[in-house]
Amino acid sequence: MKFKNKNVLITGGLGFIGSNLAIKLVELGANITIIDSVIPEYGGNLKNIESIKDRIKINYSDVRDEFSIKHLIKDQDFLFNLAGQTSHIDSMTNPFQDLEINAKSQLSILEACRKNNPNIKIVFASTRQLYGKPQYLPVDENHPIIPVDVNGINKMSGENYHLLYNSIYGIKTCVLRLTNTYGPRLRIKDARQTFLGIWIRNIIEEKPFLIFGDGSQVRDYNYVDDVVDAFILTALSNKTNGNIYNLGSPDPITLKETASLLIEENKKGTYNVIPFPEDRKSIDIGDFYANFNKINQDLGWYPKTSFREGISETLIYYKQNIASYI
């Protein structure tokens, strides 16, 4: 009931996580406004909000547009700040665009809040990529920050801006560091959001998918419904203000185990193990899985969906809707 009749702004709301969050918040009675630039490479898709399209407002603008943000931020109770450039490879080939979206625009958003709506609560979507290659596992929030790509550096800046505005100006902000999120509405045209996207597309299209390296790399995964729950819990608690939280899974598995489970749930499929392409090898972080004890202790968050259950639901969704995502 805490979201009933509350005004909620979601940047990147036509994308994967933003759209799933919007659907849940509509169910909870919130008044939703979505900002999305619908830039082809970034995952915005009107299909994602088809079920709620008549119950929300959509503003087609870019978070780099300071005037648009200044107008839209007024009278909002919550901001879920999910807009971002997510591709690690793109951040290396076009670093200045990544800087504009993941760092500079975040500062503009916060300035707009400071000047026009200082009472708003903000949850910022960050990434485990900024940790770099783990020095120990599982990775907790105290792990050194040593990004291996431009994306990680700029997301780190975005985080720090949010935490600074919390401590200096009293604007309520918190940060979620996401791991490999998957589920319905994920971008599957390519691997820009996660490698699981292109794996899912290829297996549905009955094409082999590729594993880089030897397949022994360990990863953790979160189903999107569990991630949405984390965003909602952090938004509603003042205990989270000024804090950073890892998300993660209690049962990390290797890439080969991931591939085998995907094939089992699909009832068919094949993959090829190949050496890392040079552009990917240089920014690969090796094994990674997160320690999420902090958010569990503070808010009681725990991922409810097993990877097998989540992959099954994801495959069902894309088999029914594949034409809208390729």
Side-chain angles (χ1 to χ4, degrees):
M1 295 298 292
K2 292 182 179 180
F3 276 106
K4 189 171 179 62
N5 297 322
K6 295 295 185 180
N7 296 326
V8 177
L9 185 64
I10 306 175
T11 65
L14 293 181
F16 168 40
I17 299 173
S19 60
N20 281 282
L21 179 60
I23 291 167
K24 181 65 175 180
L25 289 170
V26 166
E27 293 174 4
L28 296 176
N31 305 315
I32 305 297
T33 300
I34 280 173
I35 303 174
D36 205 292
S37 61
V38 205
I39 296 173
E41 293 81 12
Y42 296 163
N45 189 334
L46 284 168
K47 173 67 176 178
N48 287 343
I49 49 87
E50 185 175 23
S51 64
I52 57 168
K53 63 183 179 182
D54 297 326
R55 302 166 67 187
I56 62 173
K57 298 176 183 177
I58 303 174
N59 187 283
Y60 296 101
S61 80
D62 196 300
V63 290
R64 290 170 286 187
D65 182 347
E66 296 179 22
F67 299 101
S68 177
I69 294 295
K70 177 181 177 180
H71 169 72
L72 292 167
I73 211 76
K74 294 177 180 178
D75 301 320
Q76 299 292 335
D77 297 297
F78 297 93
L79 166 60
F80 292 98
N81 194 5
L82 284 86
Q85 198 294 109
T86 61
S87 170
H88 307 299
I89 295 295
D90 287 357
S91 80
M92 302 301 287
T93 57
N94 195 348
F96 292 106
Q97 180 168 280
D98 193 276
L99 176 69
E100 287 280 333
I101 296 171
N102 288 331
K104 183 180 177 182
S105 68
Q106 303 308 318
L107 187 55
S108 295
I109 289 169
L110 289 161
E111 272 293 278
C113 292
R114 182 175 72 87
K115 294 175 180 177
N116 301 285
N117 189 356
N119 294 317
I120 196 169
K121 173 66 180 273
I122 306 172
V123 184
F124 176 64
S126 188
T127 173
R128 52 92 169 153
Q129 185 73 7
L130 51 75
Y131 288 117
K133 297 179 180 180
Q135 298 181 8
Y136 57 83
L137 293 168
V139 173
D140 59 24
E141 292 85 355
N142 295 318
H143 187 284
I145 302 298
I146 311 174
V148 297
D149 59 20
V150 169
N151 180 262
I153 292 172
N154 290 329
K155 291 297 283 190
M156 178 177 65
S157 297
E159 277 193 8
N160 286 330
Y161 288 140
H162 281 77
L163 298 177
L164 178 72
Y165 273 64
N166 182 92
S167 63
I168 300 300
Y169 299 119
I171 296 173
K172 300 183 291 291
T173 70
C174 64
V175 173
L176 290 181
R177 290 178 179 161
L178 310 185
T179 186
N180 294 289
T181 308
Y182 71 98
R185 302 174 184 86
L186 172 69
R187 180 185 176 94
I188 63 168
K189 286 183 178 181
D190 48 42
R192 278 191 163 91
Q193 286 184 337
T194 170
F195 65 90
L196 279 175
I198 196 64
W199 283 20
I200 290 165
R201 175 180 178 173
N202 283 357
I203 202 168
I204 290 175
E205 293 182 339
E206 300 184 6
K207 300 174 183 176
F209 55 91
L210 301 178
I211 297 178
F212 299 140
D214 62 8
S216 66
Q217 307 96 305
V218 177
R219 292 288 183 270
D220 55 356
Y221 308 98
N222 283 143
Y223 188 59
V224 67
D225 287 0
D226 291 323
V227 174
V228 165
D229 286 346
F231 274 97
I232 288 173
L233 287 170
T234 51
L236 290 176
S237 172
N238 281 325
K239 190 173 187 178
T240 64
N241 297 341
N243 275 303
I244 296 170
Y245 295 97
N246 283 344
L247 300 190
S249 168
D251 51 358
I253 57 176
T254 68
L255 294 184
K256 276 191 174 180
E257 290 169 335
T258 303
S260 296
L261 193 150
L262 182 59
I263 290 169
E264 286 175 23
E265 290 303 307
N266 189 57
K267 304 296 191 293
K268 57 183 176 180
T270 59
Y271 64 85
N272 296 323
V273 179
I274 66 170
F276 265 103
E278 283 305 312
D279 61 344
R280 294 183 180 274
K281 184 178 181 179
S282 61
I283 62 173
D284 180 60
I285 61 171
D287 294 343
F288 185 96
Y289 52 97
N291 179 324
F292 59 93
N293 286 344
K294 184 178 178 182
I295 192 170
N296 175 253
Q297 292 168 0
D298 282 4
L299 301 176
W301 181 87
Y302 190 90
K304 302 172 186 175
T305 311
S306 73
F307 188 60
R308 184 178 294 277
E309 292 168 337
I311 281 295
S312 176
E313 290 298 316
T314 303
L315 288 168
I316 290 169
Y317 180 84
Y318 284 106
K319 287 176 181 178
Q320 294 172 347
N321 299 282
I322 188 69
S324 298
Y325 290 93
I326 59 175

